[in-house]
């Protein structure tokens, strides 16, 4: 069981949106025209960044990773796939998610408040198709999500701009550094036979089934306090809470919930047996953790340690995207139930 830095002061467990430190050279396509203006963030855990200079805000293992991407209009994240779950929650902007090695098999358009989870071994990429800079909040499965598997043409185009990826997962700029030695060879494009063996193909109709829309009415979980609504987004049926199956109900290694607080909502203090990470999509959240209090604004992220007593309030109302460890988390326990 993970117990992230339980004795760390609350403010050090909060990552403020205004304090996010981006990396503009996190991935192999950092110089490829059309993809060279994106900013990547690792908020909790190492993520899958290929540049060792990528800043990690909170390193403690949670069983999942939290990251983000900020892109101006027209900026593309190149086609790739993962070996663990990858979930995106749209915080701002209008985004086209496209499947297929050449981004030509399926497309779905997402807006703020929408969530998408594309299964492993499906080539995916995304573009900000809105008129303003947009931000995606991301959850990756596992403490070590492994490396990104890029479409072959992404690696070839990057090489033409001086960037190569090594087997160790390290990105090398051959315009500034000598060619890598044989002890850490360059990643070559996957063979046609290997791609045929592992890659899954998803068209537009199937891709829509991996989306939960902002206004979707999903199953509700009982939560402590008046003025709280907690709805399932990702996770199988869990009779321990109890929680109904989410629209995206296959195992991810974590669950995601949409929690909405009306103005004046005030919860009771509870403890959880799994790590809990809260992202403020809109409004303002007041949180108390083991007696410490803080206020979170739009775009802020806080992680609550396992077993900590936490209480949520909101004088103005808030809309939260919450990630908890495990496919079957235990129900929150009121403090009075935990004596001894």
């Amino acid at each position: 069981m993970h117990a992230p830095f339980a004795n760390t002061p609350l403010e050090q467990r909060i990552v403020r949106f205004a304090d996010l430190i981006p990396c503009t050279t996190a991935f192999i396509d950092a110089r490829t025209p059309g993809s060279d203006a994106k900013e990547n963030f690792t908020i909790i855990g190492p993520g899958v960044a290929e540049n060792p200079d990528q800043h990690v805000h909170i390193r403690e293992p949670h069983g999942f990773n939290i990251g983000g991407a900020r892109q101006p209009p027209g900026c593309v994240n190149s086609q790739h796939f993962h070996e663990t779950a990858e979930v995106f929650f749209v915080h701002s902007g209008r985004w086209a998610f496209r499947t297929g090695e050449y981004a030509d098999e399926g497309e779905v358009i997402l807006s703020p408040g929408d969530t998408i989870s594309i299964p492993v071994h499906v080539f995916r990429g995304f573009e900000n198709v809105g008129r303003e800079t947009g931000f995606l909040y991301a959850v990756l499965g596992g403490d070590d999500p492994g490396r990104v598997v890029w479409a072959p043409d992404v690696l070839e185009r990057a090489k033409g701009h001086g960037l190569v990826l090594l087997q160790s997962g390290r990105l090398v700029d051959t315009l500034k550094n000598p060619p890598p030695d044989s002890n850490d060879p360059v990643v070559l494009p996957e063979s046609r036979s290997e791609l045929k063996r592992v890659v899954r193909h998803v068209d537009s109709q199937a891709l829509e089934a991996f989306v939960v829309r902002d206004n979707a009415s999903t199953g509700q979980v009982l939560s402590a306090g008046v003025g709280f609504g907690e709805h399932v987004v990702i996770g199988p049926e869990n009779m321990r809470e109890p929680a109904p199956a989410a629209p995206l109900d296959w195992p991810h290694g974590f669950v995601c919930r949409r929690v909405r607080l009306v103005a004046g909502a005030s919860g009771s203090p509870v403890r959880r047996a799994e790590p809990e990470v809260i992202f403020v999509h809109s409004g303002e959240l007041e949180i108390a953790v083991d007696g410490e209090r803080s206020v979170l604004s739009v775009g802020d992220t806080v992680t609550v340690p396992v077993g900590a007593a936490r209480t949520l309030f909101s004088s103005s109302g808030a809309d939260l995207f919450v990630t908890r460890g495990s496919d079957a988390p235990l129900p929150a326990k009121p403090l009075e139930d935990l004596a001894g």
Side-chain angles (χ1 to χ4, degrees):
M1 178 182 296
H2 298 277
F5 53 136
N7 297 319
T8 304
L10 175 58
E11 194 59 34
Q12 294 181 27
R13 299 196 299 270
I14 297 173
V15 180
R16 305 286 180 184
F17 192 71
D19 296 335
L20 283 173
I21 298 175
C23 183
T24 58
T25 55
F27 294 107
I28 190 72
D29 60 348
R31 286 190 184 143
T32 304
S35 299
D36 52 348
K38 63 179 179 176
E39 298 175 296
N40 292 98
F41 306 89
T42 48
I43 299 173
I44 295 175
V48 290
E50 296 159 349
N51 188 335
D53 295 330
Q54 169 84 59
H55 179 78
V56 180
H57 286 269
I58 295 175
R59 292 185 176 275
E60 282 70 16
H62 283 57
F64 52 85
N65 285 246
I66 301 292
R70 184 164 59 201
Q71 297 176 198
C75 185
V76 175
N77 188 297
S78 302
Q79 299 303 105
H80 65 282
F81 67 75
H82 293 279
E83 300 289 346
T84 66
E86 182 181 47
V87 171
F88 288 103
F89 176 75
V90 180
H91 178 54
S92 61
R94 188 168 181 264
W95 299 82
F97 283 79
R98 302 184 180 108
T99 55
E101 181 180 341
Y102 301 101
D104 58 356
E105 293 183 6
E107 179 182 87
V108 66
I109 305 297
L110 271 64
S111 300
D114 293 344
T115 303
I116 187 169
S117 176
I118 304 175
V120 300
H121 299 158
V122 175
F123 274 121
R124 82 291 304 271
F126 44 89
E127 177 185 358
N128 179 356
V129 295
R131 297 182 178 180
E132 299 178 350
T133 296
F135 184 86
L136 293 172
Y137 178 86
V139 187
L140 285 166
D143 287 323
D144 179 6
R147 67 179 182 89
V148 179
V149 179
W150 296 98
D153 74 303
V154 174
L155 294 174
E156 292 295 340
R157 284 184 285 129
K159 187 177 179 180
H161 295 282
L163 295 180
V164 296
L165 182 63
L166 306 185
Q167 290 289 345
S168 62
R170 186 166 60 94
L171 190 63
V172 173
D173 182 352
T174 60
L175 301 182
K176 297 180 180 179
N177 300 292
D181 60 38
S182 58
N183 292 326
D184 194 2
V186 171
V187 172
L188 300 176
E190 298 285 346
S191 67
R192 285 290 123 198
S193 60
E194 179 64 10
L195 291 178
K196 184 177 181 180
R197 184 182 72 85
V198 302
V199 170
R200 301 168 61 183
H201 300 276
V202 173
D203 62 17
S204 296
Q205 182 177 356
L207 189 57
E208 180 65 40
F210 301 141
V211 174
V212 177
R213 296 293 178 179
D214 176 54
N215 59 359
S217 178
T218 62
Q220 187 164 348
V221 180
L222 293 177
S223 57
V226 177
F228 286 69
E230 178 171 325
H231 294 264
V232 298
V233 178
I234 287 171
E237 181 181 19
N238 179 14
M239 298 306 295
R240 300 202 297 180
E241 286 194 273
L248 309 179
D249 64 353
W250 62 93
H252 285 64
F254 54 84
V255 299
C256 295
R257 304 282 169 77
R258 197 72 176 273
V259 178
R260 294 182 172 93
L261 288 68
V262 302
S266 178
S268 302
V270 297
R271 300 185 194 271
R272 290 194 170 274
E274 301 84 15
E276 179 182 55
V277 176
I278 301 170
F279 173 76
V280 182
H281 178 50
S282 67
E284 188 174 84
L285 176 70
E286 302 157 61
I287 187 170
V289 179
D290 285 343
E292 296 182 83
R293 298 176 70 99
S294 192
V295 177
L296 279 72
S297 301
V298 173
D300 293 348
T301 299
V302 61
T303 173
V304 180
V306 171
R310 73 105 169 108
T311 312
L312 304 181
F313 317 86
S314 183
S315 57
S316 60
D319 186 352
L320 314 174
F321 189 80
V322 178
T323 304
R324 299 188 185 120
S326 171
D327 289 308
L330 291 168
K333 292 292 186 180
L335 297 195
E336 57 267 23
D337 288 354
L338 296 173

